[in-house]
Amino acid sequence: MRPLSTIFASALAFAFVLVAGNATANDLNIKAFAGQWQGNGVSESEVSANFRLTARDLNVAIEMNDNGFVVTTTTVQRKKGDPSNPDAVRKTSKREFVACVKPGVWVSKDNTDPSGQAFTWARIKDQTLTITSVEVDKDGGSNMLIYDRTLGSSGMKLEFRRLVDGYIVRTVSGRLIKLRK
């Protein structure tokens, strides 16, 4: 597992390269991300002995509504059972985001529920829609999920990171193509 300080150092270096290389880039409008996206990716796990590297099928639907957007993700994971013939596990999540006071920032409607749900927000920077979710687990530890969806000429690139108590325990990298608006 990599400590959070390593992640911040890498992120800072990457941000410096971006700023130095393209300081005048405009942020995309959320409508550019709308549509049905499908592809696949590879997951790397720091916590699984038998399934350190697995394939995933990825499906993302981003739908616009009156005051924001809804993101529905479906992932078929292969990380259980026999490593030579893993079981497929299908997971679907849906989250609705509403506009924030700051342009290009949205918060999850679920954030108003005081029952211990994760605090989730979204933002657009340049061509990347980032959705970040942070929660405190039952023992007081942290669980953070970060989804970067970057639009380019060949579709959408997905970069996912899961951090537990500041350490990366899983990453997923994938490519998706737009099926329809």
Side-chain angles (χ1 to χ4, degrees), residues 9 17 26 42 60 63 70 73 75 80 97 103 108 137-138 141 164:
V17 169
N26 291 327
V42 175
V60 177
E63 302 169 80
V70 177
T73 61
T75 304
K80 296 186 187 273
F97 292 89
S108 171
D137 67 21
K138 64 182 179 181
V164 175

Side-chain angles (χ1 to χ4, degrees), residues 6-138:
T6 303
I7 298 163
F8 284 138
S10 298
L12 185 60
F14 181 71
F16 179 76
V17 169
L18 282 180
V19 170
N22 199 3
T24 62
N26 291 327
D27 298 342
L28 288 178
N29 185 296
I30 186 60
K31 291 177 183 174
F33 294 88
Q36 184 75 34
W37 300 84
Q38 187 173 20
N40 52 46
V42 175
S43 171
E44 290 187 62
S45 174
E46 297 287 334
V47 294
S48 176
N50 294 325
F51 293 95
R52 292 187 64 77
L53 196 63
T54 60
R56 294 192 176 192
D57 298 329
L58 309 168
N59 189 313
V60 177
I62 300 176
E63 302 169 80
M64 304 307 301
N65 62 21
D66 292 338
N67 193 31
F69 60 98
V70 177
V71 177
T72 305
T73 61
T74 302
T75 304
V76 177
Q77 304 172 351
R78 292 163 189 86
K79 62 178 191 172
K80 296 186 187 273
D82 179 0
S84 63
N85 187 22
D87 299 333
V89 177
R90 182 184 175 108
K91 291 187 175 185
T92 299
S93 69
K94 184 175 185 176
R95 192 162 309 249
E96 184 172 353
F97 292 89
V98 294
C100 195
V101 176
K102 292 184 177 193
V105 179
W106 297 263
V107 294
S108 171
K109 280 185 127 180
D110 294 337
N111 289 347
T112 60
D113 180 4
S115 67
Q117 295 281 334
F119 185 83
T120 304
W121 69 96
R123 75 176 188 137
I124 294 177
K125 179 69 176 147
D126 298 325
Q127 288 78 28
T128 303
L129 170 63
T130 300
I131 296 177
T132 305
S133 181
V134 180
E135 69 179 331
V136 178
D137 67 21
K138 64 182 179 181

